[in-house]
Amino acid sequence: MKKSFYLRLALSVILLMHSVISIFSGDVNDFGHFYLDRLGFSPVGIYIAWAIKLTHLFSVPLIWIDRCIQPVAVCNIFIFIFGIYYVHWQNGWFVVGGGANGVEFSILLIFSFFNLMYPEISLRFTNKNKS
């Protein structure tokens, strides 16, 4: 865990902000009713929205105690892919500058979770054994 302290910190802050703020502001209900239901997820849009936010929220302590990292990562990767497909794809690549609300931030989060799951992966040609 020492090697990934900053990654865990960043993911935790992002997941907390993405969940806690929308829970307390009521945006999670609006996202479920006014967005997901209109996409065709009615009548379960609100349940999907809450499942997303609670997944983000419960992921944080699991990340810090280094438990269930693969299920946490897979669930969040699935959520971000879902977000790219239904929310961000039509807005292009950029989150800001050159566009708005694009996919670049979600792509970064997906690969951050891959790095959390597989921190020791490296390319073969960079791992030449010196004998």
Side-chain angles (χ1 to χ4, degrees), residues 44-63:
V44 296
I46 188 138
Y47 301 111
I48 295 170
W50 274 98
I52 291 167
K53 296 307 174 184
L54 291 175
T55 298
H56 289 334
L57 187 62
F58 292 127
S59 294
V60 173
L62 293 172
I63 288 170

Side-chain angles (χ1 to χ4, degrees), residues 55-107:
T55 298
H56 289 334
L57 187 62
F58 292 127
S59 294
V60 173
L62 293 172
I63 288 170
W64 281 103
I65 63 172
D66 205 23
R67 298 286 188 257
C68 303
I69 295 300
Q70 284 191 326
V72 162
V74 168
C75 288
N76 281 287
I77 288 168
F78 176 76
I79 289 168
F80 293 125
I81 290 171
F82 177 87
I84 287 170
Y85 183 79
Y86 283 104
V87 179
H88 301 290
W89 188 259
Q90 67 268 15
N91 297 309
W93 178 259
F94 297 102
V95 173
V96 294
N101 204 23
V103 301
E104 68 180 333
F105 186 63
S106 297
I107 298 292

Side-chain angles (χ1 to χ4, degrees), residues 20-42:
V20 172
I21 300 299
S22 62
I23 289 169
F24 284 116
S25 71
D27 288 341
V28 66
N29 294 327
D30 292 343
F31 179 65
H33 284 304
F34 301 120
Y35 189 76
L36 294 176
D37 282 351
R38 290 183 183 165
L39 282 178
F41 291 99
S42 181

